[in-house]
Amino acid sequence: MTVHEAERRAMSRALELAARGPRGANPQVGAVILSPSGEILAEGWHHGAGTAHAEVDALSKLPGDAARGATAVVTLEPCNHTGRTGPCALALIDAGIARVIYALDDPGDVSGGGAERLRGAGVEVEAGEQADDARSLISDWLTAQRLGRPHITVKWAQSLDGRAAAADGTSQWITGPFARADVHRRRAAADAIIVGTGTMLADDPALTARDGDSPYDHQPVPVVIGSRETPADAAVRRHPHDVLFYETRDLHAVVADLHERGIQSAFVEGGPTLASAFISAGLADRVLAYVAPVLLGGDRLALTDVGVPTISAARRIVIDEWVPLGTDMLAIARLEDNEGVR
């Protein structure tokens, strides 16, 4: 089988439609139904958990047997299980769809297998059309599916000699405006931003993402970990999203709950204690270390105990990129023992 030009155009359109859907526990998926002559009959996308999947959303816009003999172009393999909604593979079969083009295989053990079911019912199936674009769109969701938790970035800023603050505890501003702007841009790309109660009480952060004085359209959900009370008048309580408070030191439990809430990517921006705890727990998939050309000395280290009792146990990192940001440098890295996790 080959993919025809009309089907390629339909996949490009399906990807545009998919991007309209919300990020969350379910992937962003788009679908286009084509007539045998290549004309668009209907379009659909997934509007969020509990709503019709993209294929069913598109089919619902067609009367009677209008889909019989048609082609469905979908950004993700039609699902093969019953959750809040029924299996999309069966819906396509029942509608009389004759051909299905999809971009990516569904990675789920339960939800996957739709292509096989379609073929078993005599439907022609072609996989892989514009797979790279589809993968880019839902890369965070795919990673979260593989890990069973959000993809976690641990960020800190430090002096050249590895300090997070001066001897008196002051830390604003170690890095310059270009580095700070880069942090806010990366915050805006994350689903959640995580700090500890120590940072909350010391700095009273708003935990918003801002472009200069203007907030980004997308704001990460604020997460605060720790047993100390956050003041009623704290800046974070004015955040556009409700704050998620976790009075626990069990980071695995925290990220499991975030996963259940549909959080696909998390940005850890707490102080040295929290950053070190995530690294020690094996929950740092990416490290962002902003290094400023200053010397501070003292004992306010950017990291504390990361479970290294001796030099032979050192946590080796792989630097993927050095990024100059004004006079500062950003190291984008991953831990060797998390190799393969991006």
Side-chain angles (χ1 to χ4, degrees), residues 26-206:
N26 298 101
Q28 295 164 291
V29 181
V32 174
I33 308 297
L34 295 177
S35 71
S37 62
E39 297 176 353
I40 293 178
L41 298 176
E43 300 178 335
W45 68 92
H46 188 223
H47 294 259
T51 66
H53 288 188
E55 303 94 315
V56 176
D57 184 43
L59 290 171
S60 70
K61 298 168 184 174
L62 293 175
D65 289 339
R68 192 158 300 278
T71 295
V73 180
V74 193
T75 59
L76 186 67
E77 178 186 9
C79 69
N80 191 36
H81 81 299
T82 300
R84 297 186 188 182
T85 59
C88 293
L90 181 58
L92 293 170
I93 294 167
D94 289 345
I97 291 290
R99 177 168 160 85
V100 171
I101 312 293
Y102 72 87
L104 290 177
D105 291 332
D106 189 318
D109 293 333
V110 176
S111 57
E116 183 179 354
R117 186 171 189 173
L118 288 163
R119 291 189 181 101
V123 178
E124 293 183 2
V125 179
E126 182 76 18
E129 172 61 24
Q130 298 183 43
D132 288 344
D133 290 336
R135 187 176 296 107
S136 177
L137 176 67
I138 61 170
S139 60
D140 284 344
W141 181 84
L142 291 169
T143 301
Q145 293 300 109
R146 188 175 77 249
L147 297 175
R149 60 165 175 78
H151 183 274
I152 299 170
T153 297
V154 177
K155 166 264 176 184
W156 67 83
Q158 66 173 66
S159 62
L160 188 61
D161 56 343
R163 269 59 182 179
D168 64 355
T170 55
S171 61
Q172 295 182 327
W173 298 99
I174 289 178
T175 54
F178 293 102
R180 296 197 293 275
D182 186 76
V183 169
H184 279 274
R185 180 178 62 81
R186 294 176 188 275
R187 281 185 184 183
D191 293 335
I193 180 169
I194 304 176
V195 299
T197 51
T199 295
M200 184 59 56
L201 295 173
D203 298 339
D204 190 26

Side-chain angles (χ1 to χ4, degrees), residues 238-301:
R238 298 187 292 278
H239 196 283
H241 294 297
D242 291 338
V243 188
L244 299 178
F245 293 101
Y246 294 93
E247 296 183 7
T248 179
R249 293 186 179 183
D250 186 346
L251 298 182
H252 289 278
V254 171
V255 298
D257 185 70
L258 293 177
H259 183 60
E260 286 294 316
R261 293 173 181 269
I263 299 295
Q264 298 172 17
S265 60
F267 196 78
V268 178
E269 207 175 339
T273 300
L274 192 64
S276 302
F278 269 90
I279 291 172
S280 295
L283 294 174
D285 303 313
R286 181 183 294 120
V287 166
L288 301 177
Y290 294 83
V291 183
V294 297
L295 300 174
L296 294 177
D299 58 1
R300 303 272 185 163
L301 297 175

Side-chain angles (χ1 to χ4, degrees), residues 307-342:
V308 179
T310 183
I311 191 65
S312 62
R315 308 293 297 275
R316 301 290 176 180
I317 63 172
V318 178
I319 303 291
D320 289 322
E321 191 176 3
W322 282 102
V323 181
L325 296 166
T327 59
D328 304 315
M329 292 292 290
L330 166 62
I332 303 175
R334 52 199 154 87
L335 294 165
E336 268 190 1
D337 46 12
N338 281 10
E339 195 68 44
V341 177
R342 299 293 183 105

